[in-house]
Amino acid sequence: QPPRSFYEEIGGAETFRRLTEVFYAEVAKDEVLRPLYPEEDLGPAERRLRMFLEQYWGGPRTYSEERGHPRLRMRHHPYRIGPIERDAWLRCMHTAIAAIDDETLDPPHRQALVDYMEMAAQSMMNSPI
Ligand code: HEM
């Protein structure tokens, strides 16, 4: 039997659905982040983040089937992302990760998710201010 992916270990589709649902509910309330999103409806952006994260952690590869290579830094070029935006993004993501219960997400998996998000948000910065 193949080893279980991280995606499966933390509860698969339902966990990623919940994670991005809470994340975008926070974005919708965030006065730094909300104005950056070009569309009125955050649903499509939520779906893109969900597909990306599922793929990154070993789940379905729908993101690349629909969007091609992620090239996330390039895709974030239109938005100025400095420390304020990075911190706002991470605040929303920490809230989302905290919303997943301990039975689904044990401490080592939780830490792996947090570490990745912090690294990824840092690498998405494209402005010193
Ligand atoms: C797209 C903001 C970090 C993953 C977007 C969009 C904005 C945005 C405004 C366009 C919304 C849309 O898709 O319609 C930010 C800000 C960040 C950040 C302010 C602060 C650091 C990240 C990180 C990840 C990520 C760390 C991944 C772990 C994505 C993905 C898309 C996206 C997958 C859709 C790309 C596509 O296929 O077009 N982001 N983002 N973002 N972001 Fe971020």
Side-chain angles (χ1 to χ4, degrees), residues 37 48-49 52 63 67 75-76 79 81 89 120-121 124:
Y37 285 82
R48 287 191 278 271
L49 179 61
F52 171 80
Y63 179 88
R67 307 286 291 163
R75 292 191 206 260
H76 286 77
Y79 319 107
I81 305 179
W89 193 97
M124 223 59 83

Side-chain angles (χ1 to χ4, degrees), residues 59-104:
R61 301 196 48 83
T62 322
Y63 179 88
S64 282
E65 281 162 21
E66 291 190 13
R67 307 286 291 163
H69 191 283
R71 301 178 74 190
L72 284 189
R73 264 189 66 83
M74 186 207 74
R75 292 191 206 260
H76 286 77
H77 235 116
Y79 319 107
R80 194 191 71 176
I81 305 179
I84 293 171
E85 290 77 17
R86 174 201 61 196
D87 290 350
W89 193 97
L90 279 173
R91 196 164 60 237
C92 295
M93 189 51 81
H94 284 138
T95 300
I97 293 172
I100 310 293
D101 66 45
D102 283 336
E103 269 167 64
T104 307

Side-chain angles (χ1 to χ4, degrees), residues 17-33:
R17 188 199 63 73
R18 179 75 182 136
L19 187 71
T20 52
E21 173 182 67
V22 176
F23 177 79
Y24 272 100
E26 292 299 312
V27 168
K29 296 186 285 185
D30 191 285
E31 55 190 34
V32 172
L33 295 178

